[in-house]
Amino acid sequence: MVIIAGPCVIEDASLLDCVAARLTDINSRLGTDIIFKASFDKANRTSLSSYRGVGMERGLQMLADVKSKWGLKILTDIHESCQAAPVAEVADVLQIPAFLCRQTDLLTAAARTGKVVNIKKAQFLSGADMVYPYQKAREAGAAEVWLTERGNCFGYNNLVVDFRNIPDMLRITPTVIMDCTHSVQRPGAAGGKTGGNREFVPAMALAAKAFGAAGYFFEVHPDPDKGLSDAANMLELDKLENVIETLLR
């Protein structure tokens, strides 16, 4: 089971240490190998005034510190093809954001690093459509490509998850991940920022398991309502272990 967890965006070193310590503790107790996720830049925020992150250079150093101190694997996202090579020096998994999953140069640059590439399914694509981003990455040399379900646009300011996308994508790759927190977003529905319903996160995970998901993605925060990005849909850090235990059972 692939488990990815961490704060939406890098806020400061103390937040990264707090989350990494808890993930390490969960790994020790449950025998899991949680991959630490945090973004150095959120390039697709709703508003220009929204917090984006600490930038690539500083962010990569902070992620490298987490990797060195806590022994966790690292996943982070890239938004431009020029970021692929430097990010690959630190990250074990390069993530392609959903809005950018058809960007050929971005996909091929990530693939050429030799790292695992996790492609998030766009909100406007079906699971079957993801064969084409997958093929781009594979033909560019990626040894391993994961696909992630994160819901589809449902009118304005809402998402809905068609769980049939999971078996559809399993026909493309054996590693299909459910993004349990982004799938409960209400995009742009909170007055210039994205809202969400974090109470549905555990149910999203269990439903995805029923449809055969091979992994689960959780954005977590010790105090989500004070988070600087995705506050409304991040899961409380102290609830993560129980959700993972339930999935393992």
Side-chain angles (χ1 to χ4, degrees):
M1 183 186 296
V2 176
I3 303 172
I4 302 161
C8 176
V9 66
I10 297 174
E11 298 176 13
D12 54 44
S14 63
L15 172 65
L16 299 190
D17 267 350
C18 172
V19 175
R22 188 58 183 267
L23 299 186
T24 303
D25 189 42
I26 293 172
N27 281 340
S28 177
R29 280 203 297 274
L30 300 184
T32 48
D33 186 18
I34 301 172
I35 301 169
F36 184 92
K37 181 270 172 183
S39 299
F40 55 80
D41 181 25
K42 302 299 291 185
N44 59 349
R45 296 302 308 274
T46 303
S47 169
L48 186 62
S49 62
S50 298
Y51 177 76
R52 285 185 55 165
V54 298
M56 186 174 72
E57 183 175 353
R58 183 180 172 207
L60 288 179
Q61 182 57 60
M62 295 170 78
L63 292 172
D65 290 344
V66 167
K67 189 172 190 176
S68 174
K69 180 176 181 179
W70 299 101
L72 295 167
K73 295 174 183 175
I74 300 293
L75 176 149
T76 195
D77 36 17
I78 59 173
H79 295 86
E80 299 179 69
S81 54
C82 63
Q83 295 175 339
V87 171
E89 294 179 10
V90 174
D92 301 277
V93 183
L94 301 188
Q95 181 166 276
I96 307 299
F99 287 126
L100 301 177
C101 76
R102 292 175 59 164
Q103 297 296 104
T104 302
D105 290 346
L106 186 63
L107 288 164
T108 55
R112 292 183 187 122
T113 66
K115 299 292 183 170
V116 176
V117 179
N118 182 36
I119 310 173
K120 298 185 77 171
K121 182 181 73 62
Q123 299 89 328
F124 48 83
L125 293 179
S126 71
D129 289 330
M130 290 302 292
V131 69
Y132 304 109
Y134 173 85
Q135 286 174 345
K136 288 179 183 180
R138 288 286 287 162
E139 290 173 17
E144 189 170 354
V145 179
W146 302 346
L147 297 177
T148 294
E149 165 63 32
R150 53 98 71 241
N152 283 85
C153 297
F154 188 62
Y156 300 114
N157 305 128
N158 204 0
L159 298 173
V160 65
V161 177
D162 181 351
F163 287 96
R164 294 173 298 180
N165 285 324
I166 294 173
D168 283 347
M169 291 192 288
L170 284 168
R171 297 184 183 98
I172 303 168
T173 179
T175 307
V176 173
I177 295 165
M178 180 67 201
D179 186 337
C180 304
T181 43
H182 285 98
S183 61
V184 301
Q185 283 182 331
R186 296 292 180 94
K193 61 182 180 180
T194 290
N197 301 96
R198 73 171 67 96
E199 65 269 25
F200 298 126
V201 168
M204 285 290 183
L206 288 172
K209 182 176 182 180
F211 277 85
Y216 306 88
F217 181 113
F218 303 97
E219 286 192 333
V220 294
H221 195 286
D223 190 353
D225 288 331
K226 293 182 179 178
L228 299 182
S229 178
D230 279 0
N233 56 269
M234 279 194 289
L235 183 68
E236 297 94 334
L237 180 60
D238 62 6
K239 293 184 178 179
L240 178 64
E241 184 171 358
N242 183 62
V243 173
I244 294 174
E245 277 189 306
T246 303
L247 290 169
L248 290 172
R249 289 198 298 268

